[in-house]
Amino acid sequence: MSKPRVAVVFGGRNSEHAVSLMGAGSVLDAIDRSKYEVIPIGIAQDGRWVLATSDQRFAIEGGELPVVDSTGAALALPSGGSSLVAYDPGSIPVELGSVDVVFPVMHGPFAEDGTIQGLLEMAGVRYVGSGVLASAVGMDKAHMKTVMAAAGLPTGRYVVVRDRDWRLNRELVLKEAEELGWPVFVKPARAGSSQGISKAHDRGELEEAVEFARQHDPKVLIEAAIEGRELECAVLESFGDEPAAASLPGEVKVEGGQEFFDFEAKYYPDQMSLTVPADIPAETAEELRAMAVRAFEALDCEGLARVDFFYTPESKLIFNEINTMPGFTSLSVAPQLWAATGLPYPALVDRLIQLALNRSAGLR
């Protein structure tokens, strides 16, 4: 029998382009080639889909972030089918054959937010990770918090700033934000990897922070600062009718002197430490794991997710956010949590592919 064909898709038209490549490099290294046939596909920053070249770079080198090498043959996925066609300039189009599953190692808008999931749904192609709705709601932090509060998860206080609000009612927005107390965190509502996030200690810094966040998204979230430790838990879909499984909880700490968990802390060496299991009471760990699964189920997630919490000095857990396609290098938090729980990175990648292969196409 022929091996299942897995298309690993990475890149995209957003500020998390490089983060996607770093994760895809780890996935491509981890996939068992004796078990799967692999097709690496990059989406260039101009939106062009290409067959990755052999010299595609996936890691940060000399401080330079990786980007998709757009010199590869252009690809097309015909509507209503899963067959890839390569269009190399000056050559006859080449039929690459059907794809059994797509592994979209992608983050941010036009990728993790339900857009690529919708494209794959329309093409009738199975894929790793959550569907359109869960991906879209998980990407929009404002709607995400609304759903989580409805599911009974405690959340912090926040103000949503839409484009019209900022342009026409700025003074009202600033007044509402001030009522949260200082400092506040300001972030794009629909971005990840800590892109566009600032910490503001007064009104002047707040205005600058909102303008900075708006460079990534016209919709902005202003959150009250929460004193507490940052705890994270990974959740993985199970086969059949078994409930989703939660990893051991871990604690992340910034080591590079930054005031919060920013892009450098996440993706540059020696800027972040992860302790698994987190040094918390056993009953708190079980409560956190149960809350993580509840968040996963509240969004109808599939595949995997990482759920982040604050653990306050009063020993309370407060939901921060859920990430439906978390950072996915072998050294990223979610894979490390699963490795410490007994599922090493290659086995995690294989599990996600098998979950997608066993998924029915269409409505579920």
Side-chain angles (χ1 to χ4, degrees), residues 320-340:
N320 181 23
E321 65 180 46
I322 185 170
N323 196 319
T324 57
M325 180 49 74
F328 210 69
T329 73
S330 58
L331 298 179
S332 295
V333 172
Q336 285 198 68
L337 291 172
W338 278 118

Side-chain angles (χ1 to χ4, degrees), residues 93-166:
V94 177
E95 175 78 47
L96 298 180
S98 62
V99 172
D100 295 294
V101 64
V102 170
F103 198 137
V105 191
M106 302 184 71
H107 310 288
F110 315 115
E112 183 188 350
D113 61 349
T115 49
I116 192 168
Q117 291 79 12
L119 172 68
L120 296 171
E121 292 281 359
M122 292 180 67
V125 181
R126 293 176 174 84
Y127 55 91
V128 169
S130 289
V132 175
L133 178 64
S135 298
V137 176
M139 189 81 252
D140 189 312
K141 296 177 179 64
H143 290 299
M144 173 208 302
K145 289 178 183 291
T146 298
V147 172
M148 294 308 165
L153 294 170
T155 61
R157 296 182 302 135
Y158 62 95
V159 171
V160 180
V161 185
R162 294 173 175 82
D163 180 56
R164 180 182 175 86
D165 301 331
W166 189 244

Side-chain angles (χ1 to χ4, degrees), residues 127-130 234-240 242-246 296 300-305 338 343 348 351-352 354-356 358-360 364:
Y127 55 91
V128 169
S130 289
V235 182
L236 190 60
E237 181 186 1
S238 297
F239 291 102
E242 292 297 314
F296 188 88
D300 285 339
C301 289
E302 296 170 280
L304 76 163
W338 278 118
L343 190 66
L348 174 62
R351 169 77 167 264
L352 291 170
Q354 287 297 317
L355 284 166
N358 281 276
R359 171 191 295 185
S360 61
R364 292 177 291 283

Side-chain angles (χ1 to χ4, degrees), residues 231-313:
L231 304 181
E232 308 197 349
C233 184
V235 182
L236 190 60
E237 181 186 1
S238 297
F239 291 102
D241 296 326
E242 292 297 314
S247 73
L248 293 171
E251 179 176 4
V252 294
K253 293 182 180 179
V254 176
E255 303 290 351
Q258 296 93 328
E259 283 197 87
F260 59 94
F261 203 39
D262 62 8
F263 180 87
E264 284 72 22
K266 286 185 176 181
Y267 297 106
Y268 283 81
D270 304 320
Q271 300 292 302
M272 179 271 289
S273 67
L274 174 66
T275 302
V276 190
D279 184 15
I280 55 178
E283 59 271 20
T284 302
E286 287 309 304
E287 180 186 4
L288 184 146
R289 296 175 80 181
M291 290 172 67
V293 171
R294 195 191 318 167
F296 188 88
E297 293 176 343
L299 283 192
D300 285 339
C301 289
E302 296 170 280
L304 76 163
R306 192 195 72 235
V307 189
D308 304 342
F309 298 88
F310 294 111
Y311 183 49
T312 72

Side-chain angles (χ1 to χ4, degrees), residues 68-80:
V68 168
D69 179 358
S70 59
T71 62
L75 293 175
L77 181 65
S79 59

